[in-house]
Amino acid sequence: MKSIKDFYNERVAKVRWFENCGKEISEPYFEGNIKIVDSWTKAQKGINGKWDNLKLEIRNNLTGTLHERWRNEYREWNTITLEAKAVLQKGVLNELKSYVSANNINYRVYESVEWDLLCVLMEYAYSDLVAPGFYFKMFDVYEAGHLPCGWKGKWPEGSVLIY
């Protein structure tokens, strides 16, 4: 398995969080299946239980695949998760918490980003076994300074909402 610390240092720690929210999106994230939201209010509204459940379902697909095909490696899941949480807590999550608080943004935004970062680190850790997918695409959006903030449509059809 790959070192999550490498991915964290090379990419996660360098993200300029939310700097392009509200600005034009030039990349075809999610193969162009995106819908733009134009305000923090709309972005926060999209981060809801439906969005959370979809992201959980997608993460569960990864754990299910690992459990079925690579049981020995899957047994390391909890250890890797604890390491990922520790790396994030010592690093960017403090910055994100401060940003959310200083800008009167709903705490659900912080929780959503925290989940996404944990999941992208897990996708990275197991990327030698299972090709990275949804969370890597989400991370590309974060790296571009935007916020993935919901889903429009029935999964897997539909579009990701981006601010």
Side-chain angles (χ1 to χ4, degrees), residues 1 4 59 63 66 72-86 118 122 126:
M1 281 165 284
I4 58 170
R59 199 287 314 266
T63 58
L66 292 170
N72 287 334
E73 292 83 351
Y74 178 62
R75 288 186 180 110
E76 297 298 315
W77 181 271
N78 289 339
T79 302
I80 296 168
T81 299
L82 290 173
E83 179 186 359
K85 285 181 178 182
L118 179 60
M122 299 309 288
Y126 285 98

Side-chain angles (χ1 to χ4, degrees), residues 61-76:
N61 288 338
L62 172 61
T63 58
T65 300
L66 292 170
H67 182 264
E68 289 172 20
R69 297 183 185 163
W70 295 283
R71 246 177 230 211
N72 287 334
E73 292 83 351
Y74 178 62
R75 288 186 180 110
E76 297 298 315

